[in-house]
Amino acid sequence: MSISKTRQHLVDVARQMFAKNGLENTTMNDIAQASGKGRRTLYTYFKSKDDIYYAVIESELERLSDKMDEVAAKKIRPQDKIIELIYTHLSMIKETVMRNGNLRAAFFRNIWMVEKVRKHFDEYEIELFRTVYSEGKNKGEFEIESVELVADITHYCIKGLEVPYICGRLGNGLTTETSKPMVEKFVYGALGKTIIK
């Protein structure tokens, strides 16, 4: 097994252990045994449990980045791309948190720890929004003065919606199908354009 495959295997096993038993109830020894690699191999890649926890978060954020890249690569209008990016972000964050079982508690409790690891993803996402907003502005779809400011606001608004969305407190009783036209109207209005069908 190559170095990168071994490291990824350890991260995958750690994620499963954290999801099943929780962060506090999982030891480095547990991860080493479950991986079949031994403590020496584990400590070759990770100095501590926090170190491997950060790697788990990074791995989960890479999954989100990959999905966002798929949306960004679609040959659709920028206004449709923005809406799809918003829904992809929220649904992938929710799926990630729900998929990780007992790790959910650690996610909410250690939000500053998660934020530290998330910094690169946040920068990546803001840049992605800037690209789509620039494209939309150049095509006359958006009437915005500062692409940078609108990208920042979009990112931080979506980030602020994560916990209510995950907990089911956002749009109580609404489905994606029923909420999407309302979200489109709100977002397109903020971008200075009416919906183009």
Side-chain angles (χ1 to χ4, degrees), residues 155-194:
H155 166 75
Y156 288 109
C157 284
I158 297 167
K159 196 171 176 179
L161 294 173
E162 287 174 358
V163 173
Y165 186 81
I166 291 166
C167 296
R169 292 191 302 251
L170 188 63
N172 194 12
L174 292 176
T175 64
T176 300
E177 292 75 32
T178 56
S179 69
K180 207 166 188 179
M182 290 181 265
V183 171
E184 286 174 345
K185 189 174 180 181
F186 179 80
V187 171
Y188 296 157
L191 296 174
K193 282 290 190 178
T194 53

Side-chain angles (χ1 to χ4, degrees), residues 89-179:
H89 175 116
L90 290 172
S91 62
M92 284 297 294
I93 286 284
K94 183 174 185 175
E95 187 240 295
T96 297
V97 171
M98 301 315 273
R99 182 172 79 94
N100 284 300
N102 286 327
L103 193 52
R104 274 180 290 202
F107 176 84
F108 290 116
R109 196 169 41 254
N110 300 324
I111 200 75
W112 294 114
M113 193 184 238
V114 172
E115 281 301 302
K116 186 175 165 185
V117 179
R118 237 186 113 144
K119 186 177 178 219
H120 295 296
F121 170 77
D122 290 349
E123 290 167 355
Y124 151 82
E125 184 174 66
I126 290 168
E127 191 55 43
L128 190 61
F129 280 121
R130 284 179 184 159
T131 301
V132 177
Y133 284 133
S134 292
E135 180 188 350
K137 185 177 179 178
N138 293 338
K139 290 182 175 182
E141 284 189 27
F142 306 143
E143 293 174 2
I144 50 180
E145 289 180 34
S146 172
V147 165
E148 290 75 17
L149 179 60
V150 173
D152 286 351
I153 290 169
T154 304
H155 166 75
Y156 288 109
C157 284
I158 297 167
K159 196 171 176 179
L161 294 173
E162 287 174 358
V163 173
Y165 186 81
I166 291 166
C167 296
R169 292 191 302 251
L170 188 63
N172 194 12
L174 292 176
T175 64
T176 300
E177 292 75 32
T178 56
S179 69

